[in-house]
Amino acid sequence: MITTVTLNPAIDREYFVDNNEVMKNQFIYNEKDLKVYPGGKGLISAVNFKALGYHDVQNIGFVGGKQGLFFEKMVQKYDIISNYIHTEKEIRNNVKIIGRNPATYTQYNDYTYQVSTEEVQELVNRFQRSISESDCILISGSIPEGVHFDIYQRLIRIAKTKDKGVFLQGSGEALKLALAAKPDIVTPYFKHHQTILDLEMDTKKDYIKAGHKMQELGAKYVMIPFHCDRLLFDKNGDVYQLSPQEYCIINWLGASDAYNTAFLDYIFQHDFDFFEANLRGAAAALWVAENKKIYLSARENFNCCLDRLKIKKLEV
Amino acid sequence: MSKVKDYMIRTMNSITPKDSIKKAIEIMYRSEQSVLPVVDEHNRFIGTIYSNNILKNIIPESFGFLDSSRLFYEVNEAVENLKEVKAEPIEIYMSENRDAVEEDSDMKKVADIMLNNKESLLFVINEAGYLRGFIERSNLLHFLLDEADNSDLTADSK
């Protein structure tokens, strides 16, 4: 079984309109102009794993209220095993308005979801007993209000006690605290903070410094997004740069989740090879970014991007 | 052959024997499930807690045969009884049945169990006994409808 964790799920709603204007009523009559789907980084990876043919994939996290029940129904349509703590408060709705002419993109991100201390403890208990069958746990995404920043650290410690591999994609204080639990693979995201471990990210040197710092604090392997490239830190602390060639990016949504999925997929299918796994991850992310897709389909689709990827060692 | 895994609901919403009655009730109303699977510390299915298991223990036996003024009194008594037992572990009230079906079981077996035992819901496990979800009567009806449509198609093609 593969376990993915989504603590801050959302119902994503996309509305496509001809011209998105303030103070103008819009009418949507065509169903292709309205998309509603379950969102959350761990969940997108779970959908990807199912698409790649894995039988048992569970998504653990919180859902809340009537909208949480709706969210869970949507998840179950993908044949993912839902494993949610049902909270009292309603989960989030993210609204995206996409205008065609002129091309505009307006996003309303909802960060109102709250969970209680008891609900957090219930999640930890549920996590502890539900990972028995999993060899690897993928933890990714933000955390809702009410959850202490040490949540990832707690979950990773439980996973490590049970001898499970952990892949973490986190940010901010939660990432910083999680490193003490020694996750195997760490990739930070920093769209909200523009910092990693409180370090400002500007030059390539800053990124390298942050990568090494994460390893000092406990991460075995680190991958840091660096514009459209990735900086890879192997377990010896050597640094490599993975770069795509001749690409045209039209979509970011789902790219990093595709990366995480294809990286782990390679490891599940072969022996552990940090660079080969990263190449598969990058190929999957590139395929998503160039094809306006959110989810992966077959391996063959993204493997065709492999020959446009290069890894070079950096002299540090 | 249609299998349980083609029609089941995949969820690991569950409770453990040491969890309280209060927690069971909260999970039941929030997840809109009046039956919950009870699992061990590794998520293996070990029993079932029905809302009826709880109700039977807090509502006096004569409930249902009373006039309305008496009913009000009985409900108040049930509330008092629930105060007494809400912290108790559900292991006292759970049914230790193992009438679960496996994901790869034939749907006809599910039909047989549900209809003969008057079960409205069966939990689904994998071959090692780990919880995978549940299957209920609406899923059974879905299967039967598919069978009916298929047999119509077969008849038409002849």
Side-chain angles (χ1 to χ4, degrees), chain A residues 66 82 86 122 129 133, chain B residues 12 14 23 30 32 132:
Chain A
K66 298 294 174 199
S82 65
H86 292 82
E122 180 60 17
R129 68 176 186 257
E133 298 173 82
Chain B
M12 301 231 268
S14 59
K23 184 179 278 184
R30 286 183 186 174
E32 295 188 353
R132 284 293 179 271

Side-chain angles (χ1 to χ4, degrees), chain A residues 30-240:
Chain A
N30 194 329
E31 65 178 352
K32 74 177 176 48
D33 290 332
L34 175 59
K35 287 184 184 170
V36 182
Y37 50 89
K41 297 189 75 56
L43 177 65
I44 295 174
S45 290
V47 174
N48 288 339
F49 280 122
K50 286 301 292 187
L52 297 183
Y54 290 89
H55 183 256
D56 288 327
V57 181
Q58 69 164 325
N59 185 235
I60 299 184
F62 299 108
V63 294
K66 298 294 174 199
Q67 294 187 95
L69 292 170
F70 170 54
F71 178 93
E72 187 170 21
K73 290 278 177 211
M74 288 195 288
V75 169
Q76 288 165 344
K77 280 207 162 192
Y78 291 100
D79 282 345
I80 290 164
I81 302 170
S82 65
N83 195 354
Y84 298 136
I85 303 303
H86 292 82
T87 64
E88 196 178 350
K89 296 277 172 69
E90 293 283 341
I91 60 165
R92 308 181 295 146
N93 284 270
N94 289 328
V95 176
K96 297 157 194 183
I97 317 287
I98 299 121
R100 293 192 185 89
N101 188 23
T104 56
Y105 188 84
T106 310
Q107 195 163 330
Y108 299 93
N109 291 305
D110 175 354
Y111 281 94
T112 59
Y113 186 41
Q114 293 176 349
V115 299
S116 70
T117 310
E118 293 76 27
E119 290 160 350
V120 174
Q121 186 55 49
E122 180 60 17
L123 176 100
V124 171
N125 297 344
R126 182 80 70 89
F127 179 82
Q128 188 150 20
R129 68 176 186 257
S130 301
I131 61 170
S132 301
E133 298 173 82
S134 299
D135 295 323
C136 183
I137 321 294
L138 169 60
I139 302 173
S140 53
S142 59
I143 57 177
E145 197 178 326
V147 178
H148 191 272
F149 288 128
D150 71 353
I151 185 68
Y152 287 158
Q153 185 190 82
R154 290 175 75 187
L155 299 181
I156 296 167
R157 283 199 201 285
I158 291 168
K160 286 289 156 190
T161 310
K162 291 173 174 267
D163 209 19
K164 313 292 183 189
V166 177
F167 184 119
L168 171 68
Q169 183 176 27
S171 68
E173 194 65 18
L175 168 67
K176 198 196 294 181
L177 294 175
L179 294 173
K182 303 197 184 311
D184 300 282
I185 316 285
V186 176
T187 181
Y189 70 92
F190 41 102
K191 65 177 179 182
H192 302 303
H193 305 272
Q194 299 304 324
T195 62
I196 302 175
L197 308 178
D198 301 324
L199 301 168
E200 291 291 330
M201 292 299 110
D202 188 13
T203 67
K204 194 190 278 187
K205 266 188 180 173
D206 299 329
Y207 285 75
I208 293 171
K209 191 175 166 188
H212 283 144
K213 185 79 179 164
M214 280 191 275
Q215 289 188 307
E216 274 171 37
L217 291 174
K220 286 196 190 84
Y221 294 88
V222 173
M223 295 105 78
I224 304 184
F226 177 63
H227 307 296
C228 291
D229 292 7
R230 282 233 172 178
L231 299 180
L232 313 178
F233 299 74
D234 74 6
K235 64 179 176 184
N236 303 317
D238 291 333
V239 189
Y240 299 81

Side-chain angles (χ1 to χ4, degrees), chain B residues 42-69:
Chain B
H42 299 293
N43 231 39
R44 283 182 293 242
F45 176 73
I46 54 172
T48 307
I49 180 85
Y50 298 88
S51 51
N52 268 350
N53 293 142
I54 302 171
L55 284 168
K56 270 193 301 187
N57 282 281
I58 59 169
I59 294 180
E61 279 181 33
S62 54
F63 188 86
F65 299 96
L66 302 166
D67 61 38
S68 56
S69 59

Side-chain angles (χ1 to χ4, degrees), chain B residues 48-141:
Chain B
T48 307
I49 180 85
Y50 298 88
S51 51
N52 268 350
N53 293 142
I54 302 171
L55 284 168
K56 270 193 301 187
N57 282 281
I58 59 169
I59 294 180
E61 279 181 33
S62 54
F63 188 86
F65 299 96
L66 302 166
D67 61 38
S68 56
S69 59
R70 179 83 178 131
L71 190 68
F72 182 73
Y73 167 76
E74 297 285 349
V75 169
N76 281 344
E77 198 178 328
V79 170
E80 289 305 312
N81 289 344
L82 184 56
K83 279 186 194 168
E84 296 274 316
V85 303
K86 68 179 184 183
E88 287 184 355
I90 61 148
E91 62 189 345
I92 301 172
Y93 303 95
M94 63 185 266
S95 306
E96 287 187 26
N97 67 49
R98 289 169 189 270
D99 275 346
V101 288
E102 290 190 15
E103 293 170 291
D104 286 326
S105 300
D106 186 345
M107 275 303 288
K108 286 174 181 161
K109 182 184 169 188
V110 171
D112 195 39
I113 297 173
M114 276 192 172
L115 299 175
N116 285 329
N117 299 353
K118 295 184 178 165
E119 290 281 0
S120 58
L121 181 148
L122 288 169
F123 289 107
V124 180
I125 55 176
N126 71 358
E127 57 191 9
Y130 290 100
L131 179 68
R132 284 293 179 271
F134 66 83
I135 190 152
E136 58 183 349
R137 288 198 170 179
S138 61
N139 308 117
L140 175 61
L141 285 169

